[in-house]
Amino acid sequence: MTTSVHLSPEQLRTLFLFEKLSDEQLNWLSERGRAEQRPAGSVVYGEGEPATCFFVLLSGAIALSRVLHGDDVEVSRTDQRGVYSGATRAYLGDRVEQRYPHTVRAVTDAEFFVLPADDFAHAVRTWFPMALHLLEGLFFGTRAANAIVSERERLLALASLSAGLTHELNNPAAAAVRAAAALRERVAGMRHKLALIADGRLDGTELHRLVELQDDAVQRAATASGLPALAAADAEDAVGDWLDEHGVTEAWELAPTLVAAGIGVPWLTSAADTIGEDNLGPTVRWLAYTVDTELLMGEIEDAVTRISGLVGAAKQYAQLDRAPQQTVDVHTLLDATLTMLQAKIPAGVQVVKEYAHGLPPIPAFGAELNQVWTNLIVNAVDAMPDGGTLTIRTWREDARLLVEVADTGTGIPAEIRPRIFEPFFTTKPVGEGTGLGLDISYRIVVNKHHGDIRVSSQPGDTRFQVCLPIDLQPEDS
């Protein structure tokens, strides 16, 4: 049960926070504030509740805690008389949401001097106008600078990803253009050779057989699996020798195409029996053009499929045409991020995916989680300049889903590990890092998804674990 009494100005002066105040100010506080007692184990105020009072500890011990991914984690504990907490930012008024940032519990029977938040705000504004301007400038200036640099960090990340995506798109696009140009030449040559073959030399029955040979060659080309290099070279020599023996010119040019389509000496012998020796040269070249067009169309299809896959990954990464908050598959988000970052991952870095099967979709802000994966993966890659292994793991622990990004890099020194989530803290050279990547990731995971980020590190084994609730709906905060 809470009891309260007024404190005299003399009693208030014994607190270090008030010892320099005037008699008039102490009288004002004495009239508006009250001493309240709280029994051991009771909650003085709860995290997230409206911040209605400013508390100063008079006696006893208290513990401060925060809720992290469903667990109540104690942050600090003290019995120092005069420590204060609660509505410490009430002087900022309605410009800042006034809620308690943590939970305070009485470890032992405790007594507090309690001042309503409005009265605390009035006292700070009236008694310390210069300090108020300094505090406001510091708070809003830091927040504005943080927002600007944070936005800059996002734009730089977007520019880097766009450059990587452009590079990845350019390769299949260029391949498709080259294949289309070559295809045009092959089709023109095929028409020319067909005209020579059919120029009064073949009757309808023979043309029909020729078309059947063409269909068979196309089917072989579509299903050809390719030979090992040594076997392919031997097959090309055999086909080239057969063509030379039968008077077919430029056998060295035709043999690789025919072998790539699965056409060998037995097939050519059967074709010669069907069409006759007189038309063999033009017919083989016409069939080679046919096979080449089929192979080129396969290249174009592969290139366009690759482009479509990259565009799909970019859309999945950015979560275009989707609600900001939705039910997402974490594995799909991770795969899209890895695709987007493919150009930034050096050849010396091996990517290993150890995904747990059967993980449920979770409620989340998909685009923002992709930003978390991006920051963690880029940091892991930067920690392995000479190559190494990047491992992405997922698993479930009770009502939480965990994603781990691990690297075999240099590790994070123990003395700086507590600071890595601080805004603007970075170990990179000036101009190469803003120090906001992990801060942004922390706020996305903890504030927006009520999750947590853990880190463990030693040389050769650094792991960042992101814990996300499976059932708890995230909030936009």
Side-chain angles (χ1 to χ4, degrees), residues 379-436:
N379 284 349
V381 170
D382 289 344
M384 300 182 287
D386 300 321
T389 301
L390 169 68
T391 304
I392 314 293
R393 298 186 183 93
T394 63
W395 70 95
R396 178 175 181 170
E397 287 184 1
D398 300 325
R400 305 168 197 159
L401 187 150
L402 284 87
V403 177
E404 181 178 84
V405 178
D407 67 73
T408 57
T410 54
I412 304 172
E415 60 272 17
I416 69 171
R417 202 171 305 158
R419 300 190 59 197
I420 60 175
F421 292 107
E422 292 180 9
F424 306 107
F425 179 78
T426 180
T427 58
K428 296 179 181 179
V430 175
E432 293 188 14
T434 61
L436 285 177

Side-chain angles (χ1 to χ4, degrees), residues 2-335:
T2 301
T3 59
S4 62
V5 295
H6 286 285
L7 290 183
S8 67
E10 291 74 18
Q11 290 174 310
L12 289 174
R13 195 182 293 278
T14 62
L15 300 170
F16 66 82
L17 191 62
F18 303 138
E19 62 184 358
K20 300 297 183 181
L21 297 181
S22 66
D23 292 341
E24 181 182 357
Q25 291 169 335
L26 291 173
N27 284 327
W28 189 90
L29 289 175
S30 177
E31 292 173 359
R32 288 164 176 77
R34 300 180 68 84
E36 297 185 359
Q37 296 180 349
R38 304 294 171 88
S42 64
V43 175
V44 180
Y45 58 77
E47 178 180 350
E49 296 175 355
T52 58
C53 294
F54 178 76
F55 294 82
V56 182
L57 183 63
L58 299 175
S59 64
I62 58 173
L64 277 70
S65 64
R66 293 197 62 187
V67 176
L68 299 177
H69 56 269
D71 292 337
D72 198 47
V73 179
E74 184 173 312
V75 177
S76 65
R77 179 177 293 215
T78 183
D79 60 358
Q80 181 182 354
R81 187 173 186 270
V83 296
Y84 52 89
S85 65
T88 54
R89 292 180 178 175
Y91 60 87
L92 295 173
D94 296 336
R95 290 172 291 177
V96 175
E97 187 178 24
Q98 301 293 337
R99 294 187 178 275
Y100 293 122
H102 46 250
T103 296
V104 169
R105 288 182 175 83
V107 177
T108 65
D109 290 343
E111 186 177 19
F112 301 87
F113 173 70
V114 183
L115 187 66
D118 291 342
D119 290 331
F120 172 71
H122 174 79
V124 173
R125 294 193 193 102
T126 305
W127 299 346
F128 313 106
M130 181 177 177
L132 175 65
H133 292 311
L134 291 173
L135 289 172
E136 285 182 336
L138 178 64
F139 178 83
F140 290 109
T142 300
R143 190 167 72 170
N146 196 345
I148 292 172
V149 178
S150 175
E151 188 64 26
R152 177 66 174 172
E153 177 89 357
R154 294 170 190 260
L155 290 174
L156 289 174
L158 178 60
S160 178
L161 288 172
S162 298
L165 180 61
T166 301
H167 174 77
E168 291 296 319
L169 287 170
N170 182 65
N171 291 333
V177 170
R178 289 193 300 268
L183 180 62
R184 183 176 291 108
E185 294 178 3
R186 300 304 187 275
V187 171
M190 187 168 59
R191 289 197 302 266
H192 175 68
K193 293 302 177 186
L194 182 59
L196 292 178
I197 294 170
D199 188 16
R201 306 177 191 176
L202 299 177
D203 59 23
T205 301
E206 289 172 324
L207 281 174
H208 182 71
R209 292 174 183 171
L210 193 60
V211 171
E212 289 178 348
L213 284 174
Q214 183 187 43
D215 289 340
D216 185 57
V218 168
Q219 290 178 6
R220 286 176 174 270
T223 59
S225 58
L227 296 172
L230 188 58
D234 291 341
E236 289 172 10
D237 290 340
V239 169
D241 292 342
W242 188 93
L243 294 174
D244 286 334
E245 292 171 2
H246 289 76
V248 179
T249 59
E250 299 180 348
W252 59 271
E253 182 180 354
L254 297 175
T257 299
L258 295 173
V259 170
I263 294 175
V265 171
W267 191 92
L268 289 171
T269 302
S270 176
D273 294 340
T274 300
I275 59 179
E277 292 288 339
D278 294 340
N279 299 310
L280 184 60
T283 299
V284 169
R285 186 167 291 278
W286 177 67
L287 291 173
Y289 280 140
T290 299
V291 168
D292 222 358
T293 58
E294 187 67 22
L295 296 176
L296 288 169
M297 285 189 290
E299 289 184 23
I300 293 173
E301 182 181 11
D302 290 343
V304 173
T305 300
R306 173 66 176 154
I307 292 172
S308 178
L310 287 168
V311 172
K315 186 176 180 180
Q316 179 65 238
Y317 180 86
Q319 297 289 292
L320 297 175
D321 302 327
R322 295 171 182 258
Q325 182 180 332
Q326 59 186 304
T327 300
V328 301
D329 182 343
V330 169
H331 293 160
T332 301
L333 299 181
L334 288 168
D335 287 340

